[in-house]
């Protein structure tokens, strides 16, 4: 029902934009960005060779390493500890209004000459929430009972995710505002796409590595089989 509702909203809003939004034919671009795929990649290569852009790309590719494990693994560990997946999915519903409102609020602070101020101010709070998520995973089996989990546990999870969304969107909106601000208007689309791609990659590769490292870094013990080890997936299944 949740997916059906937002799918319908997406179709309606997209159709309304197609029908009601008119292009301004009087305005013509002063300069064509590129003439083809080859020119586009040449342009991207020339942009990324600039010292400031190269430094920024290196920073943004490594900025999210500190909280990648908390972001990628927390939900999976909560499910592993017995929290029903459908309950976690339901917690995403109250996050939707927050996700709509947050960019509107945060954009007021990123509209100035230094949008990255919001980015680095939010970073320590997001790192602290990573520790809070670790505590949440540790605490989960201790509050579990036969009927499931108490209401106050879900309240704590919801509050944790809400605070996490605030820090996440603060960093996301700030980096988008910065990318828009520094992109050359003549090649704005190409320039901004490059920076946004690097920004997305900076969030995705640490999460992939974190997920890959979960099994090697997890300590498992076998109950009822003294000579059996559970160090590998195959051994654990045996």
């Amino acid at each position: 029902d949740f997916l059906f509702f937002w799918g319908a909203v997406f179709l309606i809003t997209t159709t309304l934009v197609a029908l009601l939004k008119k292009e301004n034919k009087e305005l013509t671009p002063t300069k064509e960005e590129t003439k083809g795929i080859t020119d586009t990649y040449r342009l991207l290569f020339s942009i990324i060779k600039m010292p400031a852009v190269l430094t920024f790309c290196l920073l943004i590719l490594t900025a999210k390493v500190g909280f990648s494990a908390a972001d990628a693994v927390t939900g999976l560990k909560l499910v592993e500890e017995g929290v029903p997946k459908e309950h976690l999915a339901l917690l995403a519903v109250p996050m939707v209004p927050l996700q709509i409102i947050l960019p509107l609020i945060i954009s007021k602070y990123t509209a100035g000459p230094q949008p990255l101020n919001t980015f680095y101010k939010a970073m320590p709070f997001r790192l602290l929430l990573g520790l809070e998520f670790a505590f949440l995973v540790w605490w989960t089996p201790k509050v579990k009972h036969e009927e499931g989990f108490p209401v106050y546990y879900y309240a704590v999870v919801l509050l944790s995710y809400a605070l996490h969304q605030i820090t996440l969107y603060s960093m996301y909106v700030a980096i988008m505002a910065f990318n828009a601000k520094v992109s050359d208007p003549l090649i704005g689309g190409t320039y901004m796409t490059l920076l946004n791609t690097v920004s997305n990659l900076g969030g995705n590769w640490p999460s992939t590595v974190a997920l890959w490292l979960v099994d090697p870094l997890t300590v498992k013990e076998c109950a009822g089989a003294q000579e059996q080890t559970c160090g590998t997936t195959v051994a654990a299944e045996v």
Side-chain angles (χ1 to χ4, degrees), residues 70 74 77-78 128-140:
T74 300
K77 282 295 176 185
L78 292 180
L128 286 171
L129 279 171
L131 293 175
E132 197 271 338
F133 277 3
F135 170 79
L136 191 64
V137 172
W138 171 83
W139 183 55
T140 297

Side-chain angles (χ1 to χ4, degrees), residues 11 13-14 21 84 89 117 125 129 157 207 222 224 226 237:
L11 287 172
T13 52
T14 307
K21 180 66 178 173
N117 282 355
F125 294 102
L129 279 171
V157 174
S207 297
C222 291
Q226 295 179 355
E237 287 176 358

Side-chain angles (χ1 to χ4, degrees), residues 14 33 38 50 61 73 81 100 119 143 163 165 198-199 202 205 221 231 237:
T14 307
E33 284 191 17
T38 306
M50 296 163 64
L61 280 171
V73 183
E81 294 294 347
I100 295 171
F119 182 90
V143 296
L163 293 172
Q165 288 294 310
V198 174
S199 179
W205 80 260
E221 294 178 357
E237 287 176 358

Side-chain angles (χ1 to χ4, degrees), residues 114-187:
Q114 296 179 318
L116 281 185
N117 282 355
T118 307
F119 182 90
Y120 71 73
K121 284 178 181 176
M123 184 173 283
F125 294 102
R126 194 167 172 187
L127 289 167
L128 286 171
L129 279 171
L131 293 175
E132 197 271 338
F133 277 3
F135 170 79
L136 191 64
V137 172
W138 171 83
W139 183 55
T140 297
K142 300 185 184 302
V143 296
K144 185 180 180 182
H145 49 73
E146 291 181 1
E147 290 79 20
F149 292 88
V151 175
Y152 68 83
Y153 170 78
Y154 288 110
V156 171
V157 174
L158 184 63
L159 179 62
S160 301
Y161 273 102
L163 293 172
H164 177 260
Q165 288 294 310
I166 293 171
T167 58
L168 187 151
Y169 271 81
S170 295
M171 296 181 72
Y172 174 75
V173 174
I175 204 72
M176 291 291 286
F178 178 79
N179 291 347
K181 193 172 186 64
V182 300
S183 298
D184 187 339
L186 289 177
I187 51 171

Side-chain angles (χ1 to χ4, degrees), residues 13-237:
T13 52
T14 307
T15 305
L16 288 173
V17 169
L19 295 175
L20 303 178
K21 180 66 178 173
K22 304 298 180 184
E23 296 290 343
N24 192 340
K25 295 179 181 179
E26 295 177 1
L27 293 177
T28 54
T30 54
K31 180 183 176 183
E32 194 175 334
E33 284 191 17
T34 51
K35 295 178 181 178
I37 295 175
T38 306
D39 289 340
T40 303
Y41 279 99
R42 282 177 183 166
L43 184 59
L44 288 171
F45 187 66
S46 64
I47 291 169
I48 208 163
K49 282 197 299 183
M50 296 163 64
V53 175
L54 191 60
T55 304
F56 174 69
C57 288
L58 289 172
L59 287 171
I60 206 64
L61 280 171
T62 53
K64 297 177 182 177
V65 170
F67 32 77
S68 58
D71 289 3
V73 183
T74 300
L76 298 174
K77 282 295 176 185
L78 292 180
V79 172
E80 189 178 282
E81 294 294 347
V83 181
K85 284 184 281 189
E86 58 271 22
H87 289 180
L88 284 179
L90 278 175
L91 292 178
V93 177
M95 292 293 108
V96 173
L98 187 67
Q99 291 168 350
I100 295 171
I101 295 167
L102 277 175
L104 297 174
I105 298 172
I106 297 164
S107 60
K108 296 178 181 178
Y109 301 97
T110 57
Q114 296 179 318
L116 281 185
N117 282 355
T118 307
F119 182 90
Y120 71 73
K121 284 178 181 176
M123 184 173 283
F125 294 102
R126 194 167 172 187
L127 289 167
L128 286 171
L129 279 171
L131 293 175
E132 197 271 338
F133 277 3
F135 170 79
L136 191 64
V137 172
W138 171 83
W139 183 55
T140 297
K142 300 185 184 302
V143 296
K144 185 180 180 182
H145 49 73
E146 291 181 1
E147 290 79 20
F149 292 88
V151 175
Y152 68 83
Y153 170 78
Y154 288 110
V156 171
V157 174
L158 184 63
L159 179 62
S160 301
Y161 273 102
L163 293 172
H164 177 260
Q165 288 294 310
I166 293 171
T167 58
L168 187 151
Y169 271 81
S170 295
M171 296 181 72
Y172 174 75
V173 174
I175 204 72
M176 291 291 286
F178 178 79
N179 291 347
K181 193 172 186 64
V182 300
S183 298
D184 187 339
L186 289 177
I187 51 171
T190 306
Y191 206 130
M192 196 168 175
T193 300
L194 172 66
L195 296 181
N196 288 342
T197 301
V198 174
S199 179
N200 290 335
L201 183 61
N204 289 334
W205 80 260
S207 297
T208 304
V209 173
L211 288 168
W212 181 74
L213 287 173
V214 168
D215 268 354
L217 294 176
T218 300
V219 178
K220 297 176 183 177
E221 294 178 357
C222 291
Q226 295 179 355
E227 296 181 358
Q228 182 67 33
T229 61
C230 294
T232 64
T233 306
V234 176
E237 287 176 358

